[in-house]
Amino acid sequence: MLELYQHPTCSTCKAARKWLDQHAIEYQAINMIETPPTQEAIANLIKQSDLPLIRFFNTSGNRYRELGLKSRVPDMTISEAAAVLASDGMLIKRPLLTDGKTTTLGFKEDVYEAIWETETKKDRSD
């Protein structure tokens, strides 16, 4: 089952949930502020995704700026970045949607269609 790490009041997260619901795609919604992914889980997602570390950070968030992460992230290891992200769900780009193998960050309808609609169709046909 897909895991949707989200902030319940975030408009982008609401749009992602609406899209998933409209496409009858099952997911578990997890409040990323109350229950952020673990350091180990984030490190695994980073490694599996092949996305740059910066994509996992909510670069427009206040906490990101308060911690001065703009200058620190480029030199971080995966382990260091995962530790920082796991320490505060507000630092993670939201929503984060994963099936454990594939991960998307943020919500763009065309990306969800290309990745999640295709992935869930494959799962249903198996």
Side-chain angles (χ1 to χ4, degrees):
M1 171 164 311
L2 295 176
E3 292 181 335
L4 178 71
Y5 285 92
Q6 47 94 38
H7 187 355
T9 60
C10 166
S11 60
T12 307
C13 297
K14 287 178 184 179
R17 289 193 313 266
K18 181 179 177 181
W19 187 92
L20 291 165
D21 292 342
Q22 287 175 337
H23 290 82
I25 296 172
E26 291 184 32
Y27 62 94
Q28 176 185 7
I30 302 165
N31 184 324
M32 67 193 320
I33 309 311
E34 294 174 359
T35 313
T38 65
Q39 180 178 346
E40 181 182 1
I42 293 171
N44 287 336
L45 294 175
I46 292 170
K47 291 172 189 171
Q48 292 169 343
S49 73
D50 287 330
L51 294 170
L53 286 178
I54 194 70
R55 292 266 310 167
F56 284 82
F57 284 86
N58 177 9
T59 58
S60 61
N62 290 333
R63 291 288 297 147
Y64 181 83
R65 286 190 293 280
E66 288 169 7
L67 295 173
L69 291 172
K70 183 177 184 178
S71 62
R72 294 175 44 207
V73 172
D75 297 323
M76 284 184 176
T77 64
I78 289 174
S79 181
E80 291 168 336
V84 170
L85 290 165
S87 73
D88 186 343
M90 292 299 284
L91 291 171
I92 302 169
K93 177 75 175 173
R94 61 184 184 247
L96 182 155
L97 183 60
T98 187
D99 63 2
K101 297 177 213 152
T102 303
T103 300
T104 56
L105 298 148
F107 173 69
K108 292 191 177 180
E109 190 169 342
D110 60 331
V111 173
Y112 270 44
E113 285 175 5
I115 295 174
W116 300 117
E117 207 166 40
T118 304
E119 287 294 318
T120 54
K121 281 182 184 173
K122 273 193 242 175
D123 289 346
R124 290 180 197 154
S125 64
D126 288 343

